[in-house]
Amino acid sequence: MSNASATHPNPERSSQPLVSVRDVSMVFNTGGAQTIALQNASLEVAAGEFISLIGPSGCGKTTLLRLLADLIQPTSGSIRIGGKTPEEARKSRAYGYVFQAPVLYEWRTVLANVMLPLEVMNFPAAERKQRAEKMLALVGLEKFAKHYPWQLSGGMQQRVSIARALSFDPQLLFMDEPFGALDEITRENLNLELLRLWRETGKTVIFVTHSIPEAVFLSTRVVVMTPRPGKIETIIPADLPQPRNFETRETPRFFEVATAVRESLRKGHGFEVVE
Amino acid sequence: MAQNSASPAQKPGPLRTFLGSETARWLLFATVSVGAWEVWARWYNAPFLLPAPSRILGEFAKSPTLVLTNGWVTTQEILAGFVLGSLIALLAAMLLLVLPKLVEDFIFRAVITLNSIPFVALASLVVVWLGVNGIGSKVAIAALYAFFALVYHAHKAMASTDVLKEEVLTSYNSTFIQRLRFLKLPSALPIIFTSLKGAAMAAVNGAIVGELFGAFQGLGFMILDSRYVGNTARVFLAAVFCTFVGWLLLGVLAVLERRFVGWHLEMTRQA
């Protein structure tokens, strides 16, 4: 990795945010009715942070991630990624995106799947193979390079998908509930693996999840979102010591942060009942 | 964990392996069906209606060059028509992906309309336009048949790729050609191969129909001519030769299919 010696990322925000979201709203027109998927969202993310977006369905967390990735365009507001618009950032291949499902190509071997972005981006053939093999080793799947995705378990497939997103060494990693479909045990293992990757690579991660423990365990800050209309309720710093491990989940501070997130989610829910 | 398709605990002997093979099953099928035909035809004893296989073989022995020369002409028409029609269909299917929706809609209506014209009528027109002499008009008809058997399915398969798989490529800022090369074409290949087999059979039909409408050589001409002179065995001989050409084509396609979409065959076997 280019940044293997990276020290623990600084959770405090530096003066120049890597990602800046200002007053962004997203309105979908669905069959004549308007749905406000996201209302006046503002957020700044410093380089090296691990940010979780958490909230119930319909709170706009996936919408926000898709806006950052330029997979959809906002109705209003502005987004900057390293000073660029999302479209410019996408065109300069500034981010890797991990979807809810692994979305691997069944006709490609595991290795060829990890090489896909490198082929699209015209990396030289030798470098493609070298990088992909390194990425597979990073997610512990080097022995499965020649397998096809459908010969792997769901957890392994999702690791391939993470290797693919990292293969071209983007600064930013967007992850949309990547472990949502996995069992608790696999999920906790992959959480640890993800944190190790994050430490070793010094990437900035924006991570969507439904799970409070997952958000608190992984993040430097947790962005709590509430539905109807989707908006950012609060941003809670998860100031647990780094590096995190299995014991982290058993510390009092972990419970305090998790409780704060839970209460904030409930508060957001209360508004919905009044409405 | 990785799964490999379960294999039986003990390895079967060479005889069992042979009996389980594709070749053995074809041999068994051929022996039983040809044998039954032979018995039935001899018992029925009306060679003008149903000649026995031995009689058809005798017809071949009488003048092998007749069916071989005519068969070679038809084979050329079938192959040229199949390759031409399939290539044009694949190109058209890709082109339809980039054309504006309105144009795509218009062209598809045209395809459906042409498709509803009885093919026999279309074939007779092509003979009128391109002439009876040479193989040109027959190649064109075989190509037409193959084209229509392939174009719709190939286009549909490439136009309906998984949205998420498309977004993966969008996030890498890919060009249209890259989306075609890395996603649309490979994901459509299983359907394309299935349709190609249909197109091969259609090309066989097209070439014969073309020859029935206007030709002085080829198996279709041989069928017509033999019928006029009441030689039913020779009609059968031509038909059998056609079947062999069709099988050959299907065999080649099956080999190509295993080469290019082996992953799909294996995946569906495992599912």
Side-chain angles (χ1 to χ4, degrees):
Chain A
M1 270 291 78
S2 61
N3 208 356
S5 63
T7 48
H8 298 151
N10 186 359
E12 280 153 44
R13 298 199 262 152
S14 61
S15 53
Q16 277 204 316
L18 177 63
V19 175
S20 130
V21 177
R22 253 176 228 175
D23 254 342
V24 165
S25 296
M26 181 76 212
V27 181
F28 289 112
N29 289 309
T30 40
Q34 288 199 329
T35 311
I36 304 170
L38 195 62
Q39 192 175 53
N40 300 332
S42 292
L43 175 69
E44 287 190 347
V45 179
E49 275 199 282
F50 195 123
I51 299 289
S52 281
L53 310 177
I54 190 171
S57 305
C59 71
K61 52 196 192 307
T62 295
T63 302
L64 180 52
L65 203 65
R66 291 171 63 79
L67 285 166
L68 292 172
D70 189 43
L71 294 175
I72 48 174
Q73 288 73 40
T75 313
S76 64
S78 90
I79 300 173
R80 286 290 175 278
I81 293 167
K84 295 172 180 163
T85 65
E87 190 189 355
E88 288 163 353
R90 179 173 65 81
K91 289 192 167 159
S92 65
R93 286 132 181 188
Y95 68 83
Y97 199 106
V98 180
F99 292 83
Q100 282 183 30
V103 206
L104 302 171
Y105 288 12
E106 300 93 329
W107 53 92
R108 287 177 160 248
T109 61
V110 164
L111 188 73
N113 264 290
V114 179
M115 289 196 294
L116 175 70
L118 306 172
E119 281 178 58
V120 174
M121 297 172 192
N122 292 319
F123 280 68
E127 196 185 341
R128 289 202 295 251
K129 190 151 185 287
Q130 194 193 344
R131 273 173 177 260
E133 278 167 354
K134 202 159 137 194
M135 285 304 138
L136 279 182
L138 205 61
V139 297
L141 288 177
E142 63 271 42
K143 288 204 184 94
F144 296 92
K146 285 182 180 151
H147 281 68
Y148 282 95
W150 34 271
Q151 295 171 318
L152 306 184
S153 69
M156 293 163 95
Q157 289 184 19
Q158 201 52 279
R159 273 146 75 194
V160 176
S161 137
I162 292 168
R164 181 181 63 184
L166 288 171
S167 66
F168 55 101
D169 202 17
Q171 249 185 309
L172 255 168
L173 195 56
F174 296 146
M175 304 181 85
D176 186 2
E177 280 188 66
F179 310 136
L182 305 177
D183 62 85
E184 193 69 20
I185 300 156
T186 311
R187 176 194 276 232
E188 288 194 357
N189 280 329
L190 287 181
N191 278 347
L192 272 175
E193 214 171 308
L194 178 59
L195 277 185
R196 180 179 57 81
L197 276 174
W198 173 63
R199 273 200 310 276
E200 286 175 9
T201 60
K203 308 266 181 237
T204 307
V205 181
I206 300 185
F207 186 95
V208 166
T209 180
H210 269 126
S211 156
I212 296 171
E214 185 172 65
V216 175
F217 180 71
L218 291 173
S219 316
T220 53
R221 289 189 296 150
V222 179
V223 176
V224 178
M225 300 182 73
T226 52
R228 282 173 292 273
K231 58 180 195 292
I232 294 177
E233 176 74 29
T234 36
I235 300 175
I236 297 171
D239 45 1
L240 305 160
Q242 302 277 2
R244 293 170 188 177
N245 49 38
F246 273 118
E247 285 79 52
T248 304
R249 288 197 184 84
E250 287 145 26
T251 60
R253 186 67 193 137
F254 181 85
F255 282 106
E256 281 168 28
V257 177
T259 305
V261 171
R262 188 168 287 116
E263 277 173 359
S264 175
L265 279 167
R266 198 174 296 148
K267 199 170 137 219
H269 213 67
F271 287 124
E272 189 208 350
V273 176
V274 170
E275 176 199 300
Chain B
M1 279 297 106
Q3 283 118 23
N4 291 314
S5 46
S7 54
Q10 73 230 42
K11 221 176 144 212
L15 183 69
R16 277 199 96 96
T17 314
F18 174 73
L19 286 178
S21 73
E22 192 77 354
T23 323
R25 289 181 187 200
W26 274 114
L27 278 176
L28 182 74
F29 165 74
T31 314
V32 170
S33 54
V34 173
W37 177 2
E38 182 77 38
V39 171
W40 170 260
R42 277 170 189 251
W43 175 78
Y44 199 64
N45 196 21
F48 177 72
L49 297 177
L50 183 70
S54 56
R55 194 180 275 266
I56 298 169
L57 210 62
E59 194 60 42
F60 174 68
K62 232 189 281 170
S63 56
T65 47
L66 180 75
V67 70
L68 289 180
T69 40
N70 282 306
W72 174 236
V73 171
T74 307
T75 305
Q76 285 173 294
E77 292 165 358
I78 291 168
L79 289 181
F82 169 69
V83 171
L84 201 68
S86 303
L87 275 181
I88 296 173
L90 284 178
L91 284 176
M94 287 182 219
L95 193 67
L96 280 171
L97 294 172
V98 281
L99 293 178
K101 274 272 167 274
L102 197 70
V103 183
E104 186 197 322
D105 180 80
F106 188 89
I107 291 179
F108 252 101
R109 277 166 211 283
V111 167
I112 290 164
T113 309
L114 280 173
N115 219 352
S116 344
I117 300 174
F119 266 116
V120 180
L122 221 52
S124 63
L125 281 174
V126 172
V127 171
V128 170
W129 293 330
L130 296 182
V132 175
N133 291 315
I135 62 168
S137 55
K138 272 67 74 183
V139 170
I141 294 163
L144 209 61
Y145 274 43
F147 175 84
F148 281 115
L150 181 58
V151 67
Y152 181 79
H153 296 291
H155 173 69
K156 266 280 178 276
M158 285 192 283
S160 57
T161 34
D162 181 43
V163 179
L164 280 173
K165 289 199 177 101
E166 297 246 20
E167 278 189 347
V168 167
L169 283 182
T170 307
S171 78
Y172 308 147
N173 188 32
S174 56
T175 62
F176 172 75
I177 295 291
Q178 286 177 325
R179 285 198 290 283
L180 196 63
R181 178 181 151 203
F182 292 122
L183 175 59
K184 290 184 175 297
L185 200 54
S187 68
L189 268 189
I191 291 177
I192 289 178
F193 266 104
T194 308
S195 304
L196 274 175
K197 290 180 191 167
M201 293 300 93
V204 172
N205 276 320
I208 298 295
V209 168
E211 287 171 352
L212 290 178
F213 276 103
F216 300 117
Q217 51 182 357
L219 294 174
F221 173 72
M222 188 175 141
I223 289 171
L224 270 189
D225 183 63
S226 309
R227 227 178 46 126
Y228 281 136
V229 299
N231 190 339
T232 312
R234 222 158 70 190
V235 176
F236 269 92
L237 182 59
V240 167
F241 195 96
C242 264
T243 311
F244 284 141
V245 176
W247 275 353
L248 192 75
L249 211 48
L250 287 184
V252 170
L253 284 173
V255 169
L256 289 176
E257 186 180 31
R258 222 165 300 147
R259 163 77 183 75
F260 287 105
V261 290
W263 63 270
H264 187 255
L265 300 174
E266 209 178 314
M267 189 175 84
T268 42
R269 201 177 304 138
Q270 211 172 86

